[in-house]
Amino acid sequence: MVFFLTLAYIAISIDASGLIRYLAFKVLQKAGKVGHRLFFYLFVFFFGLGSFIGNDPIILSGTAFLAYMTRVSSNIVHPRAWIHSQFAIANIASAILVSSNPTNLVLAGAFKIKFIVYTANMIVPVVVTAVVLFPFLLYIIFADESLIPLSITMHELSEDQKKKPPVNPNIPHARGTAEEKEETDDKEGKQLSLEEIMNPFLDKKGASFGGLIMAATLITLLAINASGKENPVFWVTLPAAFVMFCWDLAFGWLHRHSTREIAARGRREVENAQAEREMRKLEEQQALPANMDPETLGLEQSEQYDATGLRHGSEHTDDDISLESPNSDIASKKPYLECGTQFSLSVPVDKEKFPELQPPGGVVMDSKKPARASSPEALDSRQTTDTTTDEEKRGYPYHQDNGPRTLASLAGDIYRWSQETFPTVTVVVSHMPFALVPFAFTMFILVQALVTKGWVPVFAYGWDHWVEKTGTVGSIGGMGFLSVILCNFAGTNIGTTILLSRVIQAWQKIHEVSGIPISDRTWWATIYSMALGVNYGAFSTAFSASLAGLLWRDILARKHIRVGSLEFARVNLPIIAISMVVGCAVLAGEVYIVRSDSPHLSA
């Protein structure tokens, strides 16, 4: 877990520098307005970058980029083809390197596979899958010009917008009210979305340094792992991540004054916009009674409520208390009294229970006479104070009393300070897959419980019978099918990898006890078909097949693109079917060429 988290920090830091969006923008420029060529360029771009830094950074930035791009294109009716293809190819590419996906790390650790050996066995099936999948996506699955048009018509940026300096999206409120305006579907919203992709922010120094650190880390990992030294892999990634972390901290501290100024300016702009909306809403509410029909208003005001909550007319009895002030200044200040009607409040009072009932403020009560204020100056003073308070509240619609400091408020202040002082570090840490740690830990516990209760040996015996009946080809097809299906039901592809790894280990023990060895060809065919299945299974039938799928859905939802569960399964079924058939077929040919039927010797 330390290895994966530290490597994830470097990858997400590269993403936070704006490199992925900037490269995607360059791909967009290179392809021009030819739809099929742009689809091909983006397909190759996401595959190449995903195999290098993994699927999570591609999903973080690539999904948002495609959401903006398809929105500002006037003849792309639905982004379905672009977003589903991107999600599929990102997960396919993550099967090449051990460092690209935590499932690969679990698998390589369970069977003591060297990183370079794993990549050498996986690269051919994965590359062939991508090559064959592209024409299927373009000409069969998404063969509709409303999805992938021959020529893409996009809005153009004005010269003033092109000259604007790009905004760092890591700084809070950096774009001011633009983030709210771009949510609308009008011309202004589309222009702001276009500006987001056609004028991307790029931290050149951070991107260059991060790319250098990532390349050096991966090369060192492959070299040390290939040498056969049994050193923990996080000995390489942890120092590299620490160096990247120090770089981000230093960069944020050196530029803290400018980032704080940008954040403060954007926050003021947002607050002013919110205050204006509240003022307009308040003015509309105040103007509403003044525009009402006087007769209707008089009827509404003549209806009173008694002490039991029942509505009745304005007739008065001897036991009623009437409070009338037609000549008061209040009438001139309240818009709903400008119509000439009198406001009366009638409450029945029991004299025996309340013989000397007097309200505060010196109002003398009489059963037959209207009660009046004994001190007009006091009433006028009190009314003036209330009016002043109302005016202050109108000027500060978001004013709240400053309560005592709490741990939650202190944590919120610290988080806002870190956002404005160290924007890159804060964004990277907020996107780190920390949830993976307790999830993987609990999955190990659940699988160990299955081992303890004897279920894993039962599964292993079942798998052994299947392999005896079907041979090497059956082991490839069976394990590929099982791994894809279980990704949707066994706690994502990580849980599936943990469970199936224990089943295969139990299967190996069965043959060790029986003295009948497993052939080298069948053994590695089973393991690498599982590697294909747990990576490809992320884009099968359920979002929960992988943590990346849940992240992908949430990003699209924030961009107002709703992908339902049925639609996700319907679109992905032909994609996963083609990918698994091609990948397993190539893997079968590979193991028959490079592997033999000699007994497998456990390490």
Side-chain angles (χ1 to χ4, degrees):
M1 284 296 104
V2 175
F3 165 76
F4 180 74
L5 289 176
T6 51
L7 204 62
Y9 181 90
I10 302 173
I12 298 174
S13 181
I14 294 174
D15 175 40
S17 68
L19 180 62
I20 296 178
R21 286 195 183 190
Y22 181 79
L23 292 177
F25 162 67
K26 289 299 181 181
V27 170
L28 185 61
Q29 279 187 326
K30 182 73 174 177
K33 297 181 179 180
V34 182
H36 289 189
R37 184 168 61 189
L38 176 60
F39 186 78
F40 172 72
Y41 283 0
L42 288 175
F43 187 89
V44 174
F45 168 69
F46 288 135
F47 178 80
L49 203 59
S51 61
F52 180 64
I53 63 176
N55 57 350
D56 283 347
I58 297 298
I59 290 172
L60 280 172
S61 285
T63 305
F65 174 85
L66 291 177
Y68 286 127
M69 187 200 76
T70 53
R71 186 185 180 198
V72 299
S73 303
S74 59
N75 58 340
I76 296 180
V77 178
H78 196 281
R80 182 185 304 115
W82 304 84
I83 58 178
H84 281 277
S85 299
Q86 175 248 2
F87 184 65
I89 198 60
N91 285 284
I92 290 173
S94 67
I96 295 178
L97 293 180
V98 173
S99 58
S100 298
N101 201 316
T103 58
N104 304 339
L105 184 62
V106 172
L107 189 145
F111 301 106
K112 297 181 174 58
I113 305 174
K114 294 181 179 180
F115 289 5
I116 190 69
V117 174
Y118 175 90
T119 301
N121 283 275
M122 290 294 294
I123 190 169
V124 175
V126 171
V127 171
V128 173
T129 300
V131 171
V132 175
L133 181 62
F134 174 76
F136 270 90
L137 292 174
L138 184 59
Y139 298 113
I140 297 177
I141 299 176
F142 301 122
D144 188 345
E145 284 202 18
S146 64
L147 300 176
I148 308 176
L150 294 175
S151 177
I152 297 178
T153 305
M154 299 186 67
H155 301 279
E156 297 291 339
L157 284 178
S158 63
E159 292 298 326
D160 293 337
Q161 289 175 319
K162 292 179 181 179
K163 294 178 181 178
K164 283 183 180 180
V167 180
N168 185 354
N170 301 325
I171 302 174
H173 307 294
R175 301 180 64 199
T177 58
E179 295 181 3
E180 298 179 0
K181 292 179 180 178
E182 74 177 10
E183 301 297 335
T184 60
D185 199 25
D186 55 7
K187 184 178 180 180
E188 183 180 7
K190 291 184 177 180
Q191 281 294 114
L192 292 172
S193 298
L194 183 64
E195 187 177 341
E196 183 75 8
I197 63 171
M198 300 301 288
N199 191 20
F201 168 80
L202 175 64
D203 174 17
K204 295 182 180 179
K205 294 181 180 179
S208 302
F209 187 78
L212 181 64
I213 290 291
M214 176 63 86
T217 302
L218 292 179
I219 292 172
T220 305
L221 276 174
L222 293 174
I224 293 177
N225 192 260
S227 66
K229 294 182 179 180
E230 297 295 333
N231 294 325
V233 288
F234 72 87
W235 284 11
V236 177
T237 58
L238 184 59
F242 180 74
V243 171
M244 194 73 218
F245 177 74
C246 292
W247 171 276
D248 293 337
L249 279 179
F251 187 85
W253 183 255
L254 292 175
H255 297 83
R256 65 188 184 280
H257 298 297
S258 60
T259 55
R260 288 173 181 173
E261 182 181 353
I262 293 172
R265 184 168 60 248
R267 185 167 54 251
R268 284 195 300 269
E269 185 178 341
V270 172
E271 290 174 352
N272 291 337
Q274 292 175 343
E276 290 177 3
R277 285 196 297 268
E278 288 295 325
M279 289 296 293
R280 285 196 299 268
K281 186 185 298 184
L282 189 60
E283 290 173 359
E284 291 174 358
Q285 292 176 353
Q286 290 180 345
L288 183 61
N291 296 330
M292 292 178 64
D293 185 14
E295 296 181 359
T296 305
L297 187 61
L299 290 174
E300 291 180 355
Q301 291 177 350
S302 64
E303 294 179 342
Q304 309 298 328
Y305 293 86
D306 59 19
T308 62
L310 298 176
R311 181 180 294 179
H312 59 82
S314 59
E315 293 84 359
H316 301 280
T317 64
D318 292 342
D319 294 336
D320 290 344
I321 299 174
S322 176
L323 180 62
E324 299 177 356
S325 54
N327 299 323
S328 173
D329 291 339
I330 303 176
S332 64
K333 296 180 182 290
K334 301 297 182 182
Y336 50 79
L337 295 179
E338 292 178 358
C339 301
T341 60
Q342 295 182 353
F343 180 77
S344 61
L345 177 65
S346 300
V347 181
V349 178
D350 190 345
K351 294 181 180 180
E352 295 180 358
K353 294 182 179 180
F354 305 98
E356 297 179 356
L357 180 63
Q358 291 188 1
V363 180
V364 181
M365 294 187 179
D366 191 282
S367 61
K368 297 182 180 180
K369 294 182 180 180
R372 298 184 182 276
S374 60
S375 176
E377 293 81 1
L379 180 61
D380 184 70
S381 175
R382 185 168 61 251
Q383 182 61 34
T384 304
T385 304
D386 294 341
T387 306
T388 305
T389 304
D390 290 341
E391 293 296 331
E392 291 177 356
K393 290 181 179 179
R394 292 174 191 172
Y396 304 95
Y398 288 95
H399 173 73
Q400 294 180 353
D401 294 333
N402 293 326
R405 298 281 290 175
T406 62
L407 186 60
S409 63
L410 181 62
D413 293 340
I414 294 175
Y415 182 72
R416 282 189 293 271
W417 176 84
S418 65
Q419 278 185 312
E420 297 176 2
T421 308
F422 307 107
T424 302
V425 173
T426 307
V427 168
V428 173
V429 172
S430 65
H431 288 156
M432 286 284 289
F434 291 118
L436 183 63
V437 177
F439 177 79
F441 182 71
T442 51
M443 282 305 304
F444 275 111
I445 295 175
L446 290 174
V447 172
Q448 187 60 35
L450 293 176
V451 175
T452 304
K453 297 301 181 182
W455 281 105
V456 168
V458 171
F459 299 152
Y461 275 106
W463 175 250
D464 184 52
H465 288 305
W466 170 263
V467 174
E468 286 181 0
K469 297 292 185 182
T470 60
T472 301
V473 175
S475 67
I476 294 175
M479 185 54 69
F481 178 79
L482 271 179
S483 55
V484 170
I485 294 299
L486 287 177
C487 283
N488 299 275
F489 305 104
T492 75
N493 51 0
I494 299 175
T496 300
T497 306
I498 297 171
L499 176 60
L500 291 180
S501 296
R502 295 305 299 267
V503 171
I504 294 175
Q505 289 172 347
W507 175 49
Q508 184 182 25
K509 289 182 180 179
I510 292 173
H511 281 266
E512 289 177 354
V513 172
S514 65
I516 303 174
I518 304 172
S519 69
D520 190 64
R521 177 178 294 157
T522 303
W523 172 258
W524 292 114
T526 301
I527 291 176
Y528 288 118
S529 62
M530 181 180 72
L532 286 176
V534 295
N535 280 278
Y536 292 9
F539 56 92
S540 49
T541 60
F543 294 111
S544 58
S546 68
L547 297 178
L550 299 174
L551 175 64
W552 180 77
R553 181 189 61 181
D554 292 342
I555 294 174
L556 290 176
R558 289 198 294 269
K559 303 303 177 184
H560 302 283
I561 298 176
R562 308 294 176 183
V563 180
S565 299
L566 291 178
E567 180 187 356
F568 183 81
R570 179 179 58 82
V571 175
N572 281 325
L573 274 176
I575 300 177
I576 186 63
I578 295 168
S579 301
M580 285 303 298
V581 168
V582 173
C584 290
V586 175
L587 179 63
E590 181 182 274
V591 295
Y592 271 98
I593 293 173
V594 301
R595 302 289 178 181
S596 65
D597 284 329
S598 59
H600 170 70
L601 301 176
S602 58

